[in-house]
Amino acid sequence: MIKLAALDIAGTTVAEDNHVYRVLAEVVAAHGKPAAEADIRRWMGADKREALAALTGDPSAVEDLHDRFVTSLRAAYEQHPPRPIPGVPQAIAELRESGVRVVLTTGFDRQITDPLLAAIGWRSGVEVDAVVCAVEAGGGRPLPNMIHRAMDLTGVTDPGEVLAAGDTALDVQAGRAARAAMVVGVLSGAQTEAELAAEHPTHIVADVTRLPLFE
């Protein structure tokens, strides 16, 4: 029986038109050398500091780069506000009403996460049970740390009672690393069915409203 659903934010529960990856690419290019699209795609779903360090090859500049990323992304979100993916608020409410705890996980830190969720009216302990950022969990995807932190916060000790879902290959890798019973790739965000399938999720669905828990 599933007791916890650990759901990614951007592209999985929240639509933000891939501004995060556009801004990431712009910050990397402005630092020196543009990253190939394939390289950007490999870092989709990752902790953004880790992504910036890897994509620029300049770990010493990460904090400055991350500050630029946060400033630019906030500006993008002011012009093009993120919004819940259609049907997802109702799906989350239905999960929680059925006794499944819902925790949001993200490679963003609180500088982005808190205002983003406030703008769409989602509160920890109200619309969702908790929110976990990679930096708070000691590492981002593909490590299972955020899922483990979500388990700690909700008192779930058995990964066989966990569903993990996200829109990137790294989401799937993290779910498998956590040994979650259900590792679900969703097609509402950044990556293709082929990219998700290559990581062997237990399920691939159109979006969170089609999670296997609703079957």
Side-chain angles (χ1 to χ4, degrees):
M1 177 181 176
I2 298 297
K3 294 182 179 179
L4 167 65
L7 310 178
D8 171 53
I9 294 181
T12 301
T13 54
V14 175
E16 53 88 65
D17 301 316
N18 283 332
H19 286 297
V20 58
Y21 300 116
R22 176 185 61 77
V23 169
L24 184 68
E26 289 174 355
V27 170
V28 170
H31 190 64
K33 183 179 178 181
E37 181 182 356
D39 291 329
I40 294 289
R41 295 187 73 79
R42 275 196 290 272
W43 285 94
M44 288 177 169
D47 175 272
K48 300 306 175 284
R49 286 182 174 84
E50 293 175 7
L52 287 163
L55 290 166
T56 62
D58 189 1
S60 66
V62 163
E63 289 307 316
D64 179 59
L65 291 167
H66 189 262
D67 287 345
R68 294 183 212 169
F69 170 77
V70 168
T71 298
S72 296
L73 188 59
R74 280 181 168 176
Y77 283 171
E78 286 176 5
Q79 293 183 357
H80 307 280
R83 65 253 177 231
I85 289 173
V88 168
Q90 296 86 347
I92 289 175
E94 186 176 337
L95 288 173
R96 298 182 76 223
E97 288 167 5
S98 71
V100 177
R101 310 293 292 275
V102 175
V103 176
L104 302 182
T105 63
T106 180
F108 295 148
D109 68 9
R110 292 287 174 177
Q111 291 174 287
I112 294 292
T113 303
D114 288 349
L116 186 158
L117 294 180
I120 61 177
W122 288 1
R123 296 159 294 176
S124 182
V126 183
E127 286 78 19
V128 298
D129 290 285
V131 179
V132 176
C133 298
V135 68
E136 301 164 354
R141 308 173 185 112
L143 296 175
N145 298 28
M146 286 194 286
I147 298 171
H148 289 165
R149 178 62 176 156
M151 293 172 66
D152 290 342
L153 291 172
T154 55
V156 175
T157 58
D158 181 0
E161 297 173 336
V162 176
L163 176 150
D167 65 308
T168 69
L170 291 184
D171 286 299
V172 176
Q173 290 174 19
R176 289 178 57 82
R179 300 185 182 276
M182 294 184 179
V183 180
V184 184
V186 301
L187 300 175
S188 52
Q191 295 193 314
T192 66
E193 184 169 3
E195 287 173 311
L196 297 176
E199 304 303 331
H200 309 291
T202 60
H203 302 77
I204 296 178
V205 298
D207 56 48
V208 166
T209 69
R210 304 296 183 87
L211 290 178
L213 296 182
F214 296 120
E215 293 177 354

